[in-house]
Amino acid sequence: MNMMQRALYQLFQTPGSRISFKEARYANFQSVCAFSNSAISNGSSPTYHGTTILCVRKNGKVCMMGDGQVSLGNMVVKPNARKIRRIHPKTVGGKTQKGSEGDDENSSGGTIVGFAGSTADAFTLLERLEGKLDEYPGQLARSCVELAKGWRTDKYLRRLEASLLVADENVSLEITGNGDVLESHDKVLAVGSGSPFAIAAARALQDVPELSAEEVARKSMEIASDMCVYTNKNFLFEVMDIKEEDGKEGPSDEEKN
């Protein structure tokens, strides 16, 4: 009889106790099994996670930037992943362009998408979003709402652990893991583990007139990477011309000069 069994025996064999020693041993065995099963279920194979994505709209441009780190538990498995995509509706005849370096030739058209969270889940949602954009071309908000509705009601999609940022020339939206579609009030959005740091820095830099959207995003991501261990400094980004609220499309010639 070990010390634990002896203590249980003394506890349950006191006067007035209705629990026998055998029942106590059985109860102890059940609690150990329950703890072991819990540990096994919670210790399932870790998933690949990608973090931090930031979107900034400023001075006739929208810039979406993300780091390149992909983590598997506590281990970095890839430092240069591409978490930003540009989607062109197939119904318009567009083709996916690789504009990760922010080239001028790719600065207009399509929809920019960035993801954070489980990588496999994010690609599943990207595929669904692309289908919605083909179904509702030029209607980003409606496409996101339809995706969110499926996310909430579909038994398979409901278990996906990822968040998306999407932006076009008219609006920037966040699609959360709860199926919510959010639009920023200050033209700044961020998702991922480093999003609180990135969005705080971007909001502070928004008021600096000489900084472009890309410069605000880069400086903010640098701050986030210094504070979040799951975010590195291998930044990839997409830049697009946007329509201003007053109806002007992109910056004027005087602003460019």
Side-chain angles (χ1 to χ4, degrees):
M1 182 182 298
N2 58 32
M3 295 180 61
M4 179 178 292
Q5 292 173 338
R6 187 178 297 107
L8 288 172
Y9 178 79
Q10 294 176 354
L11 175 64
F12 294 112
Q13 291 303 317
T14 55
S17 175
R18 297 182 180 180
I19 302 178
S20 65
F21 176 68
K22 289 184 178 180
E23 292 174 335
R25 290 187 62 184
Y26 180 70
N28 181 44
F29 174 76
Q30 282 186 319
S31 64
V32 172
C33 289
F35 176 79
S36 300
N37 293 334
S38 168
I40 292 175
S41 62
N42 293 333
S44 58
S45 300
T47 56
Y48 293 92
H49 282 80
T51 52
T52 303
I53 306 296
L54 175 66
C55 181
V56 178
R57 304 178 76 93
K58 186 179 181 184
N59 296 340
K61 297 283 186 178
V62 57
C63 177
M64 188 176 296
M65 185 174 295
D67 72 306
Q69 180 170 319
V70 175
S71 303
L72 181 61
N74 296 326
M75 180 177 60
V76 178
V77 295
K78 188 175 178 62
N80 59 345
R82 184 165 174 247
K83 308 173 189 176
I84 309 294
R85 297 287 190 275
R86 186 187 291 260
I87 300 176
H88 288 268
K90 297 178 181 178
T91 54
V92 185
K95 297 182 180 179
T96 303
Q97 301 178 5
K98 296 182 179 180
S100 60
E101 297 301 326
D103 297 334
D104 293 337
E105 62 183 4
N106 296 325
S107 61
S108 62
T111 302
I112 304 176
V113 184
F115 68 85
S118 175
T119 306
D121 293 349
F123 279 110
T124 301
L125 292 172
L126 284 176
E127 183 179 358
R128 294 293 185 107
L129 177 61
E130 189 172 5
K132 295 298 181 182
L133 290 172
D134 292 336
E135 185 177 355
Y136 308 105
Q139 303 179 61
L140 179 60
R142 182 176 181 181
S143 300
C144 292
V145 170
E146 293 297 326
L147 174 65
K149 287 168 59 178
W151 197 339
R152 292 292 296 269
T153 57
D154 190 277
K155 292 182 178 180
Y156 174 70
L157 290 179
R158 193 183 305 168
R159 301 178 181 178
L160 300 183
E161 299 178 356
S163 296
L164 299 180
L165 287 185
V166 295
D168 64 1
E169 60 183 7
N170 298 310
V171 67
S172 297
L173 300 171
E174 174 185 351
I175 309 176
T176 68
N178 295 325
D180 300 320
V181 180
L182 306 176
E183 181 180 0
S184 174
H185 66 282
D186 55 3
K187 302 181 181 180
V188 176
L189 288 171
V191 293
S193 62
S195 60
F197 315 117
I199 199 169
R203 285 174 175 173
L205 294 172
Q206 275 283 75
D207 296 333
V208 182
E210 59 269 18
L211 293 180
S212 64
E214 180 183 334
E215 292 171 334
V216 170
R218 183 173 296 278
K219 289 179 180 294
S220 302
M221 287 294 295
E222 288 177 353
I223 293 174
S225 64
D226 290 336
M227 303 182 71
C228 177
V229 296
Y230 296 105
T231 304
N232 65 12
K233 294 182 180 295
N234 292 333
F235 304 139
L236 298 176
F237 65 93
E238 288 276 2
V239 180
M240 179 189 297
D241 295 330
I242 64 175
K243 293 181 179 179
E244 299 290 357
E245 295 181 355
D246 58 2
K248 295 180 180 180
E249 182 174 354
S252 62
D253 295 336
E254 295 180 358
E255 291 175 343
K256 291 180 180 179
N257 297 329

